[in-house]
Amino acid sequence: MSHLSILPTLVIDLDLLEIALRSEGFKVLRGGVVSSFDSYQLVDLAAEHPSGLQLGWRQSDTHPHFDLVADLAAPEGSGMTEPVLRRVLRRYAMNQAMRQAEIFDAETVTAGI
């Protein structure tokens, strides 16, 4: 089991999410539309996998994070939606942890001067 599975995966940074999605083979667009439950949803970030799987994220109305917009049972995913989403969120969490570590290291170095 990955130690990253214990890290929070609330998406608050679309740049880091885009990096994670591209590493999993997704084509990513800022803004756009994704198909979800036989309708179309406007999103802040749209991602499409070569398999046809579509994922989107839009700013939450009540919280400072982005909500996932996806039809997790869509036939395009054919059973791969959840594993792919899990990998993307693990990559996102890893990238977020690395960025925080860099910030912490920079603050520690500067505080020592």
Side-chain angles (χ1 to χ4, degrees):
M1 178 198 267
S2 168
H3 294 290
L4 292 176
S5 63
I6 63 171
L7 294 176
T9 52
L10 281 178
V11 174
I12 58 173
D13 187 323
L14 289 183
D15 292 332
L16 294 177
L17 178 60
E18 185 173 345
I19 292 167
L21 286 161
R22 287 188 190 282
S23 346
E24 289 295 325
F26 281 85
K27 178 181 174 186
V28 180
L29 296 170
R30 292 294 178 107
V33 177
V34 294
S35 174
S36 176
F37 302 107
D38 296 328
S39 67
Y40 294 95
Q41 305 287 322
L42 292 174
V43 293
D44 296 298
L45 184 140
E48 185 170 355
H49 194 266
S51 69
L53 172 64
Q54 293 182 15
L55 302 174
W57 280 264
R58 71 171 157 227
Q59 183 71 51
S60 169
D61 292 334
T62 57
H63 300 289
H65 64 266
F66 292 86
D67 293 327
L68 173 67
V69 177
D71 183 353
L72 298 179
E76 294 85 5
S78 59
M80 66 176 268
T81 305
E82 290 184 44
V84 168
L85 183 57
R86 211 174 1 257
R87 283 195 309 273
V88 166
L89 292 177
R90 281 188 184 142
R91 281 184 188 271
Y92 173 83
M94 181 186 69
N95 292 339
Q96 190 176 38
M98 295 297 286
R99 180 175 280 171
Q100 289 300 318
E102 289 171 7
I103 291 169
F104 177 75
D105 189 44
E107 289 173 353
T108 303
V109 170
T110 343
I113 296 177

Coordinates of all heavy atoms in Angstrom, one line a residue, residues 4-99:
L4 N 1.2 7.4 0.2 CA 0.5 8.5 -0.3 C -1.0 8.4 -0.1 O -1.7 9.4 -0.2 CB 0.8 8.8 -1.7 CG 2.3 9.3 -2.0 CD1 2.5 9.4 -3.5 CD2 2.5 10.6 -1.3
S5 N -1.5 7.2 0.1 CA -2.9 7.0 0.2 C -3.5 7.7 1.5 O -4.7 7.9 1.6 CB -3.3 5.5 0.2 OG -2.7 4.9 1.3
I6 N -2.6 8.0 2.4 CA -3.1 8.7 3.6 C -3.1 10.2 3.5 O -3.6 10.9 4.3 CB -2.2 8.3 4.9 CG1 -0.8 8.8 4.7 CG2 -2.3 6.9 5.1 CD1 0.1 8.6 5.9
L7 N -2.5 10.7 2.4 CA -2.5 12.2 2.2 C -3.9 12.6 1.7 O -4.6 12.0 1.0 CB -1.5 12.6 1.1 CG 0.0 12.3 1.5 CD1 0.9 12.6 0.4 CD2 0.3 13.1 2.7
P8 N -4.3 13.9 2.1 CA -5.6 14.4 1.6 C -5.5 14.6 0.1 O -4.5 15.0 -0.4 CB -5.7 15.7 2.4 CG -4.4 16.1 2.8 CD -3.6 14.8 3.0
T9 N -6.7 14.4 -0.5 CA -6.7 14.6 -2.0 C -7.8 15.6 -2.4 O -8.3 15.4 -3.5 CB -6.9 13.2 -2.7 OG1 -8.0 12.6 -2.2 CG2 -5.6 12.4 -2.6
L10 N -8.1 16.5 -1.6 CA -8.9 17.6 -2.0 C -8.2 18.4 -3.0 O -7.0 18.8 -2.8 CB -9.3 18.5 -0.8 CG -10.4 18.0 0.1 CD1 -10.7 19.0 1.2 CD2 -11.7 17.8 -0.7
V11 N -8.7 18.6 -4.2 CA -8.0 19.3 -5.2 C -8.2 20.8 -5.0 O -9.4 21.3 -5.1 CB -8.6 18.9 -6.6 CG1 -8.0 19.7 -7.7 CG2 -8.3 17.4 -6.8
I12 N -7.1 21.5 -4.8 CA -7.2 23.0 -4.6 C -6.2 23.7 -5.6 O -6.3 24.9 -5.7 CB -6.8 23.4 -3.2 CG1 -5.4 22.9 -2.8 CG2 -7.8 22.9 -2.2 CD1 -4.8 23.4 -1.5
D13 N -5.5 22.9 -6.4 CA -4.5 23.5 -7.3 C -4.6 22.9 -8.7 O -4.2 21.7 -8.9 CB -3.1 23.3 -6.8 CG -2.0 24.0 -7.6 OD1 -2.1 24.1 -8.8 OD2 -1.1 24.5 -7.0
L14 N -5.2 23.6 -9.6 CA -5.5 23.0 -11.0 C -4.2 22.8 -11.7 O -4.1 21.9 -12.6 CB -6.4 23.9 -11.8 CG -7.8 23.9 -11.3 CD1 -8.7 24.8 -12.3 CD2 -8.4 22.5 -11.2
D15 N -3.1 23.5 -11.4 CA -1.8 23.3 -12.1 C -1.3 21.9 -11.8 O -0.8 21.2 -12.6 CB -0.8 24.4 -11.7 CG -1.2 25.8 -12.3 OD1 -1.8 25.8 -13.3 OD2 -0.8 26.8 -11.7
L16 N -1.3 21.6 -10.5 CA -0.8 20.3 -10.0 C -1.7 19.2 -10.6 O -1.2 18.1 -10.9 CB -0.7 20.2 -8.5 CG 0.3 21.1 -7.9 CD1 0.3 21.0 -6.4 CD2 1.7 20.8 -8.4
L17 N -3.0 19.4 -10.6 CA -3.9 18.4 -11.1 C -3.7 18.2 -12.6 O -3.6 17.0 -13.1 CB -5.4 18.9 -10.9 CG -6.5 17.9 -11.5 CD1 -6.4 16.5 -10.8 CD2 -7.8 18.5 -11.3
E18 N -3.4 19.2 -13.3 CA -3.1 19.1 -14.8 C -1.9 18.3 -15.0 O -1.9 17.4 -15.9 CB -3.0 20.5 -15.4 CG -2.8 20.4 -16.9 CD -2.8 21.8 -17.6 OE1 -3.2 22.8 -16.9 OE2 -2.4 21.9 -18.7
I19 N -0.9 18.5 -14.2 CA 0.4 17.7 -14.3 C 0.1 16.2 -14.1 O 0.5 15.3 -14.8 CB 1.4 18.2 -13.3 CG1 1.9 19.6 -13.7 CG2 2.6 17.2 -13.2 CD1 2.7 20.3 -12.7
A20 N -0.7 15.9 -13.0 CA -1.1 14.5 -12.7 C -1.9 13.9 -13.8 O -1.6 12.7 -14.2 CB -1.8 14.5 -11.4
L21 N -2.8 14.6 -14.4 CA -3.7 14.1 -15.4 C -2.8 13.8 -16.7 O -3.0 12.7 -17.3 CB -4.8 15.0 -15.8 CG -5.9 15.1 -14.7 CD1 -6.7 16.3 -14.9 CD2 -6.8 13.8 -14.8
R22 N -2.0 14.7 -17.1 CA -1.2 14.5 -18.3 C -0.2 13.3 -18.1 O 0.0 12.6 -19.0 CB -0.4 15.8 -18.6 CG -1.2 16.9 -19.1 CD -0.4 18.1 -19.6 NE -1.2 19.2 -19.9 CZ -1.9 19.4 -21.0 NH1 -1.9 18.4 -21.9 NH2 -2.6 20.5 -21.2
S23 N 0.3 13.1 -16.9 CA 1.1 11.9 -16.7 C 0.4 10.6 -16.8 O 1.0 9.6 -17.1 CB 1.8 11.9 -15.3 OG 1.8 13.0 -14.6
E24 N -0.9 10.6 -16.7 CA -1.7 9.4 -16.8 C -2.3 9.4 -18.3 O -3.2 8.5 -18.5 CB -2.9 9.4 -15.8 CG -2.4 9.1 -14.4 CD -1.8 7.7 -14.2 OE1 -2.3 6.8 -14.9 OE2 -0.9 7.6 -13.4
G25 N -1.9 10.2 -19.2 CA -2.3 10.1 -20.6 C -3.5 10.9 -21.0 O -4.0 10.8 -22.1
F26 N -4.0 11.8 -20.1 CA -5.2 12.6 -20.4 C -4.8 13.8 -21.2 O -3.7 14.4 -21.0 CB -5.8 13.1 -19.1 CG -6.7 12.1 -18.4 CD1 -6.1 11.2 -17.5 CD2 -8.0 12.0 -18.6 CE1 -6.9 10.2 -16.9 CE2 -8.8 11.1 -17.9 CZ -8.2 10.2 -17.1
K27 N -5.7 14.2 -22.1 CA -5.6 15.5 -22.8 C -6.4 16.4 -21.9 O -7.5 16.1 -21.5 CB -6.3 15.4 -24.1 CG -6.3 16.7 -24.9 CD -7.0 16.5 -26.2 CE -7.2 17.9 -26.9 NZ -8.0 17.8 -28.1
V28 N -5.8 17.6 -21.5 CA -6.4 18.5 -20.5 C -6.7 19.8 -21.1 O -5.8 20.4 -21.9 CB -5.4 18.6 -19.3 CG1 -6.0 19.6 -18.3 CG2 -5.1 17.3 -18.7
L29 N -7.8 20.4 -20.8 CA -8.2 21.7 -21.2 C -8.7 22.5 -20.0 O -9.5 22.0 -19.2 CB -9.4 21.7 -22.2 CG -9.1 21.0 -23.6 CD1 -10.4 20.8 -24.3 CD2 -8.1 21.8 -24.4
R30 N -8.2 23.8 -19.9 CA -8.8 24.6 -18.9 C -10.1 25.1 -19.4 O -10.2 25.6 -20.5 CB -7.8 25.8 -18.6 CG -6.5 25.4 -18.0 CD -6.8 24.9 -16.6 NE -5.6 24.5 -15.9 CZ -5.0 25.2 -15.0 NH1 -5.5 26.3 -14.5 NH2 -3.8 24.7 -14.5
G31 N -11.1 25.0 -18.6 CA -12.5 25.3 -19.0 C -13.0 24.2 -19.9 O -12.2 23.4 -20.3
G32 N -14.2 24.2 -20.2 CA -14.7 23.2 -21.1 C -16.0 22.6 -20.6 O -16.6 23.0 -19.7
V33 N -16.3 21.5 -21.3 CA -17.5 20.8 -21.0 C -17.2 19.3 -20.9 O -16.4 18.8 -21.7 CB -18.6 21.0 -22.1 CG1 -19.8 20.2 -21.9 CG2 -18.9 22.5 -22.2
V34 N -17.8 18.6 -20.0 CA -17.7 17.1 -19.9 C -19.1 16.5 -19.9 O -20.1 17.1 -19.4 CB -16.9 16.6 -18.7 CG1 -15.5 17.0 -18.8 CG2 -17.5 17.0 -17.4
S35 N -19.2 15.3 -20.5 CA -20.5 14.6 -20.5 C -20.6 13.9 -19.2 O -19.7 13.2 -18.8 CB -20.5 13.7 -21.7 OG -21.7 12.9 -21.6
S36 N -21.8 14.1 -18.5 CA -22.0 13.4 -17.2 C -23.5 13.1 -17.1 O -24.3 14.1 -17.1 CB -21.5 14.3 -16.1 OG -21.8 13.8 -14.8
F37 N -23.8 11.9 -16.9 CA -25.2 11.5 -16.7 C -26.1 12.0 -17.8 O -27.1 12.6 -17.6 CB -25.7 11.9 -15.3 CG -24.9 11.5 -14.2 CD1 -24.1 12.3 -13.5 CD2 -24.9 10.1 -13.8 CE1 -23.3 11.9 -12.4 CE2 -24.2 9.7 -12.7 CZ -23.3 10.6 -12.0
D38 N -25.7 11.7 -19.0 CA -26.5 12.1 -20.2 C -26.8 13.6 -20.3 O -27.7 14.0 -20.9 CB -27.8 11.4 -20.2 CG -27.6 9.9 -20.4 OD1 -26.6 9.5 -21.1 OD2 -28.4 9.1 -19.8
S39 N -25.9 14.4 -19.7 CA -26.0 15.9 -19.9 C -24.6 16.4 -20.0 O -23.6 15.7 -19.8 CB -26.8 16.5 -18.7 OG -26.1 16.4 -17.5
Y40 N -24.5 17.7 -20.2 CA -23.2 18.3 -20.3 C -23.0 19.3 -19.2 O -23.9 20.0 -18.8 CB -23.0 19.0 -21.7 CG -23.0 18.0 -22.8 CD1 -24.2 17.7 -23.5 CD2 -21.8 17.3 -23.2 CE1 -24.2 16.8 -24.5 CE2 -21.8 16.4 -24.2 CZ -23.0 16.1 -24.9 OH -23.0 15.2 -25.8
Q41 N -21.8 19.3 -18.6 CA -21.5 20.1 -17.4 C -20.3 21.0 -17.7 O -19.3 20.6 -18.3 CB -21.1 19.2 -16.2 CG -22.1 18.1 -15.9 CD -23.4 18.7 -15.2 OE1 -23.3 19.7 -14.4 NE2 -24.5 18.2 -15.5
L42 N -20.5 22.3 -17.4 CA -19.4 23.2 -17.6 C -18.4 23.0 -16.4 O -18.8 22.8 -15.3 CB -19.9 24.7 -17.5 CG -20.7 25.1 -18.7 CD1 -21.3 26.5 -18.4 CD2 -19.9 25.2 -19.9
V43 N -17.1 23.0 -16.7 CA -16.1 22.7 -15.7 C -14.9 23.7 -15.9 O -14.7 24.3 -16.9 CB -15.5 21.3 -15.8 CG1 -16.6 20.3 -15.4 CG2 -15.0 21.0 -17.2
D44 N -14.1 23.8 -14.8 CA -12.9 24.7 -14.8 C -11.8 24.0 -15.5 O -10.9 24.6 -16.1 CB -12.5 25.1 -13.4 CG -13.6 26.0 -12.8 OD1 -13.9 27.1 -13.3 OD2 -14.2 25.6 -11.8
L45 N -11.8 22.6 -15.4 CA -10.7 21.8 -16.0 C -11.4 20.5 -16.5 O -12.1 19.9 -15.8 CB -9.6 21.5 -15.0 CG -8.4 20.7 -15.6 CD1 -7.1 21.2 -15.0 CD2 -8.6 19.2 -15.3
A46 N -11.2 20.3 -17.8 CA -11.7 19.1 -18.5 C -10.6 18.2 -18.9 O -9.6 18.7 -19.4 CB -12.6 19.5 -19.7
A47 N -10.8 16.9 -18.7 CA -9.7 15.9 -19.0 C -10.4 14.7 -19.8 O -11.4 14.2 -19.3 CB -9.0 15.4 -17.8
E48 N -9.7 14.3 -20.9 CA -10.2 13.2 -21.6 C -9.1 12.2 -21.9 O -8.0 12.6 -22.3 CB -10.8 13.6 -23.0 CG -11.5 12.4 -23.7 CD -12.3 12.8 -24.9 OE1 -12.5 14.0 -25.1 OE2 -12.8 11.9 -25.6
H49 N -9.3 11.0 -21.5 CA -8.4 9.9 -21.7 C -8.6 9.3 -23.1 O -9.7 9.4 -23.6 CB -8.7 8.8 -20.6 CG -7.6 7.8 -20.5 ND1 -7.6 6.6 -21.2 CD2 -6.4 7.8 -19.7 CE1 -6.5 6.0 -20.8 NE2 -5.8 6.7 -20.0
P50 N -7.5 8.7 -23.7 CA -7.7 8.1 -25.0 C -8.8 7.1 -25.1 O -9.3 6.8 -26.1 CB -6.3 7.5 -25.3 CG -5.3 8.3 -24.5 CD -6.1 8.7 -23.3
S51 N -9.1 6.5 -23.9 CA -10.2 5.5 -23.9 C -11.6 6.1 -24.1 O -12.6 5.4 -24.2 CB -10.1 4.7 -22.6 OG -10.5 5.6 -21.5
G52 N -11.7 7.4 -23.9 CA -13.0 8.1 -24.0 C -13.4 8.6 -22.6 O -14.4 9.3 -22.5
L53 N -12.8 8.1 -21.6 CA -13.2 8.5 -20.2 C -13.0 10.0 -20.1 O -12.0 10.6 -20.4 CB -12.3 7.8 -19.2 CG -12.4 8.2 -17.8 CD1 -13.7 7.9 -17.2 CD2 -11.3 7.5 -16.9
Q54 N -14.0 10.7 -19.6 CA -14.0 12.1 -19.3 C -14.1 12.4 -17.8 O -15.0 11.9 -17.2 CB -15.2 12.8 -20.0 CG -15.1 12.8 -21.5 CD -16.3 13.5 -22.2 OE1 -17.0 14.3 -21.5 NE2 -16.5 13.3 -23.4
L55 N -13.3 13.3 -17.4 CA -13.3 13.8 -16.0 C -13.3 15.3 -16.0 O -12.6 15.9 -16.9 CB -12.1 13.3 -15.2 CG -11.9 11.8 -15.1 CD1 -10.6 11.4 -14.4 CD2 -13.1 11.1 -14.3
G56 N -13.9 15.9 -15.1 CA -13.9 17.4 -15.0 C -13.9 17.8 -13.6 O -14.3 17.1 -12.7
W57 N -13.4 19.0 -13.3 CA -13.4 19.6 -12.0 C -13.9 21.0 -12.1 O -13.5 21.8 -13.0 CB -11.9 19.6 -11.4 CG -11.5 18.3 -10.8 CD1 -11.6 17.9 -9.5 CD2 -11.0 17.2 -11.5 NE1 -11.1 16.6 -9.4 CE2 -10.8 16.2 -10.6 CE3 -10.7 17.0 -12.9 CZ2 -10.2 14.9 -10.9 CZ3 -10.1 15.7 -13.2 CH2 -9.9 14.7 -12.3
R58 N -14.7 21.4 -11.2 CA -15.2 22.8 -11.1 C -15.1 23.3 -9.7 O -15.2 22.5 -8.7 CB -16.6 22.9 -11.7 CG -17.7 22.3 -10.9 CD -19.1 22.7 -11.5 NE -20.0 21.7 -11.0 CZ -20.9 21.1 -11.8 NH1 -21.0 21.4 -13.0 NH2 -21.7 20.2 -11.3
Q59 N -15.0 24.6 -9.6 CA -14.9 25.2 -8.2 C -16.1 25.0 -7.4 O -17.2 25.1 -7.9 CB -14.7 26.8 -8.4 CG -14.5 27.5 -7.1 CD -13.1 27.2 -6.5 OE1 -12.1 27.4 -7.2 NE2 -13.1 26.9 -5.2
S60 N -15.9 24.5 -6.2 CA -17.0 24.3 -5.3 C -17.7 25.6 -5.0 O -17.1 26.6 -4.9 CB -16.5 23.6 -4.0 OG -17.5 23.6 -3.0
D61 N -19.0 25.6 -4.8 CA -19.8 26.8 -4.5 C -19.5 27.2 -3.0 O -19.7 28.4 -2.7 CB -21.3 26.5 -4.7 CG -21.6 26.4 -6.2 OD1 -20.9 26.9 -7.0 OD2 -22.6 25.7 -6.4
T62 N -19.2 26.2 -2.2 CA -19.2 26.5 -0.7 C -17.8 26.3 -0.1 O -17.6 26.6 1.1 CB -20.2 25.7 0.0 OG1 -19.9 24.3 -0.3 CG2 -21.6 26.0 -0.4
H63 N -16.8 25.7 -0.8 CA -15.5 25.4 -0.3 C -14.4 25.9 -1.2 O -14.6 26.0 -2.4 CB -15.4 23.9 0.0 CG -16.4 23.4 0.9 ND1 -16.4 23.7 2.3 CD2 -17.5 22.6 0.7 CE1 -17.5 23.1 2.9 NE2 -18.2 22.4 1.9
P64 N -13.2 26.0 -0.7 CA -12.1 26.5 -1.6 C -11.4 25.4 -2.4 O -10.3 25.5 -2.8 CB -11.1 27.0 -0.5 CG -11.3 26.2 0.7 CD -12.8 25.9 0.7
H65 N -12.1 24.3 -2.7 CA -11.6 23.2 -3.5 C -12.4 23.0 -4.8 O -13.4 23.7 -4.9 CB -11.5 21.9 -2.7 CG -12.8 21.4 -2.3 ND1 -13.3 21.6 -1.0 CD2 -13.7 20.6 -2.9 CE1 -14.5 21.0 -0.9 NE2 -14.7 20.4 -2.1
F66 N -11.9 22.1 -5.6 CA -12.6 21.8 -6.9 C -13.3 20.5 -6.7 O -12.8 19.5 -6.2 CB -11.7 21.8 -8.0 CG -11.1 23.1 -8.3 CD1 -10.0 23.6 -7.7 CD2 -11.7 23.9 -9.3 CE1 -9.5 24.8 -7.9 CE2 -11.2 25.2 -9.6 CZ -10.1 25.6 -8.9
D67 N -14.6 20.4 -7.2 CA -15.4 19.1 -7.1 C -15.2 18.4 -8.4 O -15.2 19.0 -9.5 CB -16.8 19.5 -6.9 CG -17.1 20.1 -5.6 OD1 -16.5 19.7 -4.6 OD2 -18.1 20.9 -5.5
L68 N -15.1 17.1 -8.3 CA -15.1 16.2 -9.5 C -16.4 16.1 -10.1 O -17.5 16.0 -9.5 CB -14.7 14.8 -9.0 CG -14.7 13.7 -10.1 CD1 -13.7 13.9 -11.2 CD2 -14.5 12.3 -9.5
V69 N -16.4 16.2 -11.5 CA -17.6 16.0 -12.3 C -17.4 14.9 -13.2 O -16.5 15.0 -14.1 CB -18.0 17.3 -13.1 CG1 -19.2 17.1 -14.0 CG2 -18.2 18.5 -12.2
A70 N -18.0 13.8 -13.0 CA -17.8 12.6 -13.8 C -19.0 11.6 -13.6 O -19.6 11.5 -12.6 CB -16.5 11.9 -13.5
D71 N -19.2 10.8 -14.7 CA -20.1 9.7 -14.6 C -19.3 8.5 -14.4 O -18.8 7.9 -15.3 CB -21.0 9.6 -15.9 CG -22.0 8.6 -15.8 OD1 -22.0 7.8 -14.8 OD2 -22.8 8.5 -16.8
L72 N -19.1 8.1 -13.1 CA -18.2 7.0 -12.8 C -18.7 5.7 -13.3 O -17.9 4.7 -13.4 CB -18.0 6.9 -11.2 CG -17.4 8.2 -10.6 CD1 -17.2 8.0 -9.1 CD2 -16.0 8.5 -11.3
A73 N -20.0 5.6 -13.7 CA -20.5 4.3 -14.3 C -20.6 4.4 -15.8 O -21.1 3.5 -16.4 CB -21.8 4.0 -13.7
A74 N -20.0 5.4 -16.4 CA -20.1 5.5 -17.9 C -19.4 4.4 -18.6 O -18.4 3.9 -18.1 CB -19.5 6.9 -18.3
P75 N -20.0 3.9 -19.7 CA -19.4 2.8 -20.4 C -18.0 3.1 -21.0 O -17.2 2.2 -21.2 CB -20.3 2.5 -21.5 CG -21.3 3.6 -21.6 CD -21.2 4.3 -20.3
E76 N -17.7 4.4 -21.2 CA -16.4 4.8 -21.7 C -15.2 4.3 -20.8 O -14.2 3.9 -21.2 CB -16.2 6.3 -21.9 CG -17.1 6.8 -23.0 CD -18.5 7.2 -22.4 OE1 -18.8 7.0 -21.2 OE2 -19.4 7.5 -23.2
G77 N -15.5 4.3 -19.5 CA -14.5 3.9 -18.5 C -14.4 2.4 -18.4 O -13.3 1.9 -18.1
S78 N -15.4 1.7 -18.7 CA -15.5 0.3 -18.7 C -14.6 -0.3 -17.5 O -13.7 -1.2 -17.8 CB -15.1 -0.4 -20.0 OG -13.8 0.0 -20.4
G79 N -14.9 0.1 -16.3 CA -14.3 -0.5 -15.2 C -12.9 0.1 -14.8 O -12.3 -0.2 -13.8
M80 N -12.4 1.0 -15.6 CA -11.1 1.6 -15.4 C -11.2 3.0 -14.7 O -10.2 3.6 -14.3 CB -10.3 1.7 -16.7 CG -10.8 2.7 -17.7 SD -9.8 2.9 -19.1 CE -8.8 4.3 -18.6
T81 N -12.4 3.6 -14.6 CA -12.6 4.9 -14.0 C -12.0 5.1 -12.7 O -11.2 5.9 -12.4 CB -14.1 5.3 -14.0 OG1 -14.6 5.2 -15.3 CG2 -14.2 6.7 -13.6
E82 N -12.4 4.2 -11.7 CA -11.9 4.4 -10.4 C -10.4 4.1 -10.2 O -9.8 4.9 -9.5 CB -12.7 3.5 -9.4 CG -14.2 4.0 -9.3 CD -15.0 3.2 -8.3 OE1 -14.5 2.9 -7.2 OE2 -16.2 2.9 -8.7
P83 N -9.8 3.1 -10.8 CA -8.4 2.9 -10.7 C -7.6 4.1 -11.3 O -6.6 4.5 -10.7 CB -8.1 1.6 -11.5 CG -9.4 0.9 -11.5 CD -10.4 1.9 -11.5
V84 N -8.1 4.6 -12.4 CA -7.4 5.8 -13.1 C -7.5 7.0 -12.2 O -6.5 7.7 -12.0 CB -7.9 6.0 -14.5 CG1 -7.5 7.4 -15.0 CG2 -7.6 4.9 -15.4
L85 N -8.7 7.2 -11.7 CA -8.9 8.4 -10.8 C -8.1 8.3 -9.5 O -7.5 9.2 -9.1 CB -10.4 8.5 -10.4 CG -10.8 9.7 -9.6 CD1 -10.4 11.0 -10.3 CD2 -12.3 9.6 -9.3
R86 N -8.0 7.1 -9.0 CA -7.1 6.8 -7.8 C -5.6 7.2 -8.1 O -5.0 7.8 -7.4 CB -7.3 5.4 -7.4 CG -7.1 5.2 -5.9 CD -7.4 3.8 -5.4 NE -7.7 2.7 -6.4 CZ -9.0 2.3 -6.6 NH1 -10.0 2.8 -5.9 NH2 -9.2 1.4 -7.5
R87 N -5.2 6.7 -9.3 CA -3.8 7.0 -9.7 C -3.5 8.5 -9.9 O -2.5 9.1 -9.5 CB -3.4 6.3 -11.0 CG -3.1 4.8 -10.7 CD -2.4 4.2 -11.9 NE -3.0 4.4 -13.2 CZ -3.9 3.6 -13.7 NH1 -4.4 2.6 -13.1 NH2 -4.4 3.9 -14.9
V88 N -4.5 9.2 -10.5 CA -4.4 10.6 -10.7 C -4.3 11.4 -9.4 O -3.5 12.2 -9.2 CB -5.6 11.2 -11.6 CG1 -5.7 12.7 -11.5 CG2 -5.5 10.7 -13.0
L89 N -5.2 11.0 -8.5 CA -5.2 11.7 -7.2 C -4.0 11.4 -6.3 O -3.5 12.2 -5.6 CB -6.5 11.3 -6.4 CG -7.8 11.9 -7.0 CD1 -9.0 11.5 -6.3 CD2 -7.7 13.4 -7.1
R90 N -3.4 10.2 -6.5 CA -2.2 9.9 -5.8 C -1.0 10.8 -6.4 O -0.2 11.3 -5.6 CB -1.8 8.4 -5.9 CG -2.6 7.6 -5.0 CD -2.1 6.1 -5.0 NE -2.9 5.3 -4.1 CZ -3.3 4.1 -4.4 NH1 -2.9 3.5 -5.5 NH2 -4.0 3.4 -3.6
R91 N -1.0 10.9 -7.7 CA 0.0 11.7 -8.3 C -0.2 13.2 -7.9 O 0.8 13.9 -7.6 CB -0.1 11.7 -9.8 CG 0.6 10.5 -10.4 CD 0.5 10.6 -12.0 NE 0.9 9.4 -12.6 CZ 2.2 9.1 -12.9 NH1 3.1 10.0 -12.7 NH2 2.5 8.0 -13.5
Y92 N -1.4 13.6 -7.8 CA -1.7 15.0 -7.4 C -1.2 15.2 -5.9 O -0.5 16.2 -5.6 CB -3.2 15.3 -7.5 CG -3.6 16.6 -6.8 CD1 -3.5 17.8 -7.6 CD2 -4.1 16.7 -5.5 CE1 -3.8 19.0 -7.0 CE2 -4.4 17.9 -5.0 CZ -4.3 19.0 -5.7 OH -4.6 20.2 -5.1
A93 N -1.5 14.2 -5.1 CA -1.1 14.3 -3.7 C 0.4 14.3 -3.5 O 1.0 15.1 -2.7 CB -1.7 13.2 -2.8
M94 N 1.1 13.5 -4.3 CA 2.5 13.5 -4.3 C 3.1 14.8 -4.8 O 4.0 15.4 -4.1 CB 3.1 12.4 -5.2 CG 4.6 12.3 -5.2 SD 5.2 11.1 -6.4 CE 4.8 11.9 -7.9
N95 N 2.6 15.4 -5.9 CA 3.0 16.7 -6.3 C 2.8 17.8 -5.3 O 3.6 18.6 -5.1 CB 2.4 17.0 -7.7 CG 2.8 16.1 -8.8 OD1 3.8 15.5 -8.8 ND2 2.0 16.0 -9.8
Q96 N 1.6 17.7 -4.7 CA 1.3 18.7 -3.6 C 2.3 18.6 -2.5 O 2.8 19.6 -1.9 CB -0.1 18.5 -3.2 CG -0.7 19.6 -2.3 CD -2.1 19.4 -2.0 OE1 -2.6 18.3 -1.8 NE2 -2.9 20.5 -1.9
A97 N 2.6 17.4 -2.0 CA 3.5 17.2 -0.9 C 4.9 17.6 -1.3 O 5.6 18.3 -0.5 CB 3.5 15.7 -0.5
M98 N 5.3 17.4 -2.5 CA 6.7 17.8 -3.0 C 6.7 19.3 -3.0 O 7.7 19.9 -2.6 CB 7.0 17.2 -4.4 CG 7.1 15.7 -4.4 SD 8.5 15.1 -3.3 CE 9.8 15.6 -4.4
R99 N 5.7 20.0 -3.5 CA 5.7 21.4 -3.5 C 5.7 22.0 -2.1 O 6.5 22.9 -1.8 CB 4.4 22.0 -4.2 CG 4.4 23.5 -4.3 CD 3.3 24.0 -5.1 NE 3.6 24.0 -6.5 CZ 2.8 24.2 -7.5 NH1 1.5 24.6 -7.2 NH2 3.1 24.2 -8.7

